[in-house]
Amino acid sequence: MDSQIKQLHQQLVNKEISCTTLVQERLELLKKNAYNTVNSLLEDSALALAAKVDAKIANGEEIGLLEGIPFGIKDVYMVQGTYTTASSDILKNYKSAYTATAIQKLLDAGAIPLVKENCDSFGHGSSSENTIFGAVKNAINPELVAGGSSGGSAVNVAKDYTVFSIGGDTGGSIRQPAGYNNIYGLKPTYGRISRYGIMAYASSTDCVGPLAKTIEDIRIVLNVMSGKDGKDQTTIASTEISEQAISNNNTIKTVGYFKNFIENEAIDPKIKADFLASIEKIKATGIEVKELDFFKSDTLVSTYYTIAMAETASNLSRLDGTNYGNRIEGENLKDTYSITRSENFSEESKRRIVGGNQVLSQGFSDEIYLKGLALRDQISANFEKDFKEVDIIISPVTPNTPPKIGDSLKDPLAMYLSDAYTVGFSLGQLPTLTVPQGTATGLQITGAKNKEQTLLKFANFLKETI
């Protein structure tokens, strides 16, 4: 099974390449890149770790599969001693005091972080343009957006600057940029990977996940990061997924798709035609394909953003320059708070904070926020019903191809609607994988909770089928 991680591991073990050379080559690519993917390089620490791996190999010691493998980290993860800016003004000089659990597990396995990656500020966006470091450029066409909010992570993988990257997905922020840049991106089941040490956007849907060029690399990284964590009470126990378990498709008999996604007037005709052609190829293998009914995409988007804005308003209320962040003094304490937040948050972040405070305010919370929570429960129930009928749900990742840089900033509503096909699965807390086949922005395959193994198995099947 194709795997960059395994290939590089073998080259290191065979002494065909030194870890220092491997890391140095990737660092040079990151320094020279013109895609705005880098917020900060971790050069000194990366080279120091590489030297330790080389010393182990020289001494004849065994190294682990991930040991010495270079990777990238979306700049919303705490890594002790590194700048963790969330691509924002308010935290542009903030250094982490501790390391996120998911990242620590990778460090413990010997993987080497090279870069904190550019993203939409605090994850607020679907294009990676809402950032103080400049818009991330699409890996395939630099005139287009990279997708968001994990745009820098997706482009670094697509351009081979990193072997894999760790993104964050709240409503599609791994899956959509993976689709825009023609790579794999996984949002696991909510709770499979600890959220401890990630800057919270919407706590009830935030997920840690990998982006990579191969299914096998997704599997390897997922296994390392998964598991319960005493620092995150939402985490769940999970079973390790073996390579053999995802190598054949003898258990997937029925696939479903939401016909209202495909009949939506907003979908690009080419994406629709390519999706339906993919469905026919799946049918031709003998798998049964069922049409499913689901909530309208505008209902999904409004439900998601109602809840996400409320949660982000609450989560970001702590950032006022008092304990940390870029404080701007005013005439009095209230004025200081106001100026600090007004000057240091992006327009998109302020839009979401104001919207969240609105839906949580007296007189609106019952009519808007509580209704959103009720709809989320209905969406989850609908998924439970669907997965009694089908093994996998397949859908386009996005209704349209990537817009030009600048267009999304002019039309925030269009940006929100670009998440129409991803947010529902976030509300359902389901595992969902973007695969780079089927349409211009890939296909999205979704399973029932804790069915990541089924997703990876079906992804291997699609690779050979479409």
Side-chain angles (χ1 to χ4, degrees):
M1 200 176 291
D2 290 344
S3 167
Q4 286 193 11
I5 291 172
K6 288 182 175 177
Q7 182 182 2
L8 288 170
H9 172 74
Q10 204 58 52
Q11 288 176 337
L12 289 169
V13 169
N14 294 341
K15 300 181 181 178
E16 295 169 22
I17 186 173
S18 73
C19 189
T20 298
T21 300
L22 172 63
V23 166
Q24 189 68 67
E25 286 176 350
R26 301 296 173 116
L27 286 169
E28 290 305 314
L29 290 172
L30 286 163
K31 286 177 186 178
K32 294 174 183 176
N33 99 82
Y35 292 84
N36 285 341
T37 62
V38 177
N39 285 3
S40 59
L41 281 179
L42 312 179
E43 184 171 15
D44 291 345
S45 60
L47 289 171
L49 290 170
K52 290 181 180 179
V53 174
D54 285 334
K56 285 185 70 172
I57 295 169
N59 291 333
E61 298 177 47
E62 285 189 15
I63 61 169
L65 185 57
L66 276 179
E67 205 159 351
I69 303 299
F71 74 104
I73 304 169
K74 182 179 180 179
D75 199 9
V76 293
Y77 288 94
M78 302 296 174
V79 181
Q80 188 173 18
T82 70
Y83 286 104
T84 303
T85 72
S87 295
S88 70
D89 269 318
I90 197 163
L91 293 177
K92 62 186 176 184
N93 296 314
Y94 176 71
K95 279 193 173 182
S96 305
Y98 63 99
T99 298
T101 296
I103 305 302
Q104 188 61 55
K105 287 186 173 185
L106 292 169
L107 296 178
D108 292 344
I112 298 179
L114 302 185
V115 56
K116 302 296 281 293
E117 296 166 322
N118 199 359
C119 57
D120 285 301
S121 181
F122 293 103
H124 299 161
S126 304
S127 64
S128 293
E129 294 173 281
N130 300 301
T131 160
I132 63 170
F133 296 100
V136 182
K137 299 176 183 178
N138 188 287
I140 301 162
N141 180 350
E143 293 184 358
L144 307 179
V145 303
S149 59
S150 307
S153 303
V155 173
N156 280 340
V157 169
K159 300 299 291 184
D160 289 317
Y161 301 154
T162 60
V163 177
F164 65 91
S165 285
I166 305 304
D169 192 306
T170 305
S173 294
I174 287 174
R175 293 163 284 158
Q176 186 244 44
Y180 278 4
N181 293 281
N182 201 33
I183 61 171
Y184 291 93
L186 174 68
K187 184 198 87 66
T189 302
Y190 181 80
R192 185 183 180 106
I193 300 174
S194 172
R195 293 178 296 112
Y196 179 75
I198 184 175
M199 289 186 187
Y201 165 16
S203 304
S204 66
T205 59
D206 285 344
C207 288
V208 178
L211 299 102
K213 276 193 165 180
T214 72
I215 299 161
E216 180 64 359
D217 289 347
I218 293 284
R219 182 192 70 83
I220 291 167
V221 177
L222 175 67
N223 279 339
V224 171
M225 293 194 296
S226 297
K228 287 184 72 67
D229 178 18
K231 297 171 183 174
D232 178 0
Q233 293 183 349
T234 66
T235 49
I236 55 176
S238 57
T239 305
E240 187 165 298
I241 300 168
S242 69
E243 181 179 355
Q244 183 179 5
I246 65 169
S247 62
N248 62 69
N249 185 46
N250 56 2
T251 58
I252 298 166
K253 307 296 184 185
T254 312
V255 171
Y257 73 95
F258 297 126
K259 60 184 179 181
N260 59 306
F261 279 15
I262 308 308
E263 294 168 358
N264 192 319
E265 292 180 2
I267 192 171
D268 181 281
K270 182 71 165 61
I271 288 181
K272 177 178 179 178
D274 288 347
F275 178 80
L276 292 174
S278 299
I279 290 293
E280 291 305 314
K281 289 177 182 177
I282 292 168
K283 284 181 180 178
T285 67
I287 290 177
E288 182 183 3
V289 177
K290 290 185 177 183
E291 288 185 346
L292 302 172
D293 291 315
F294 199 50
F295 291 79
K296 291 181 179 179
S297 56
D298 55 352
T299 301
L300 297 174
V301 170
S302 59
T303 302
Y304 167 76
Y305 276 103
T306 293
I307 295 170
M309 286 184 178
E311 292 185 13
T312 202
S314 175
N315 282 325
L316 292 186
S317 63
R318 73 194 76 176
L319 293 181
D320 54 22
T322 302
N323 294 314
Y324 37 73
N326 183 32
R327 183 183 177 99
I328 302 174
E329 295 292 343
E331 293 182 3
N332 51 54
L333 187 59
K334 184 177 179 181
D335 196 37
T336 296
Y337 289 160
S338 177
I339 296 171
T340 295
R341 289 170 66 82
S342 295
E343 295 295 323
N344 283 314
F345 282 125
S346 70
E347 290 302 310
E348 184 57 36
S349 291
K350 285 188 278 191
R351 187 178 292 116
R352 297 185 187 208
I353 291 167
V354 170
N357 285 328
Q358 176 82 356
V359 302
L360 289 174
S361 63
Q362 188 173 3
F364 287 93
S365 60
D366 288 355
E367 283 297 313
I368 303 175
Y369 180 64
L370 295 182
K371 187 179 287 186
L373 295 181
L375 273 169
R376 181 176 64 184
D377 292 342
Q378 292 176 40
I379 289 164
S380 294
N382 201 101
F383 280 129
E384 288 182 14
K385 175 178 68 70
D386 288 336
F387 282 114
K388 290 176 181 176
E389 296 184 40
V390 301
D391 301 310
I392 287 283
I393 293 172
I394 189 169
S395 59
V397 180
T398 63
N400 292 286
T401 52
K404 286 187 176 181
I405 289 173
D407 287 355
S408 294
L409 297 179
K410 299 172 190 172
D411 190 354
L413 180 58
M415 180 183 67
Y416 299 158
L417 291 174
S418 72
D419 298 334
Y421 298 162
T422 55
V423 294
F425 304 118
S426 295
L427 292 168
Q429 301 186 335
L430 303 175
T432 307
L433 174 70
T434 289
V435 300
Q437 292 104 30
T439 80
T441 58
L443 293 171
Q444 188 177 208
I445 55 178
T446 304
K449 289 181 180 179
N450 304 314
K451 294 294 185 180
E452 281 83 357
Q453 179 173 300
T454 304
L455 291 191
L456 297 176
K457 181 184 295 189
F458 192 66
N460 272 317
F461 164 77
L462 286 181
K463 189 174 174 233
E464 305 300 325
T465 304
I466 297 177

